Amino acid sequence: MGKVKLAPSILNADFRDLRSAISHIEGIADVVHLDIMDGNFVPNITFGPLVVKAVSELTDMPLDVHLMIAHPAEFVEDFVLAGADWISFHSEVTRHPGEILGLVRKLGKRAGIVLN
């Protein structure tokens, strides 16, 4: 069995001071978890590729991007370009999860499916 990795979400961080939130978990966490919500698949709206890019510039820790969005295939490349290392999405948003998994892997990133 592999090592357990700690991946705290920054969803409750003060978005005016992401640097402080990231520095607080560095040295403790292994991964930064970013919950991406679009207001369609889930009722809340959080942030998109611009915030992921900002976080990627604040840390060398891998970024785990959890897409809670209705159309993840349309945004995979944007999040990869923003600095995502791991991308996961919900299985119920597509009839062809293998295509999205393949796209993420083709772009050189780790892919995952989230079960609700």
Side-chain angles (χ1 to χ4, degrees):
M1 184 176 207
K3 177 186 169 201
V4 173
K5 295 193 182 287
L6 182 61
S9 172
I10 63 163
L11 190 55
N12 287 331
D14 180 348
F15 291 158
R16 296 168 300 176
D17 190 11
L18 287 174
R19 182 179 310 278
S20 176
I22 297 301
S23 66
H24 182 73
I25 64 171
E26 284 185 319
I28 300 168
D30 301 293
V31 179
V32 179
H33 183 86
L34 298 114
D35 291 300
I36 310 300
M37 302 177 197
D38 66 358
N40 292 305
F41 179 65
V42 294
N44 294 333
I45 297 173
T46 55
F47 40 80
L50 291 176
V51 172
V52 173
K53 181 166 177 37
V55 172
S56 76
E57 293 172 356
L58 295 173
T59 186
D60 292 328
M61 286 189 293
L63 303 184
D64 173 23
V65 174
H66 174 192
L67 300 178
M68 291 181 266
I69 63 177
H71 304 285
E74 296 176 20
F75 297 95
V76 165
E77 191 168 355
D78 292 335
F79 284 104
V80 167
L81 291 172
D85 297 292
W86 302 353
I87 296 181
S88 58
F89 61 94
H90 286 260
S91 60
E92 60 268 33
V93 299
T94 181
R95 293 181 185 196
H96 307 287
E99 291 177 8
I100 300 171
L101 291 169
L103 174 60
V104 173
R105 290 180 184 132
K106 178 182 166 191
L107 294 169
K109 304 302 176 179
R110 296 177 78 174
I113 294 180
V114 178
L115 303 175
N116 190 4

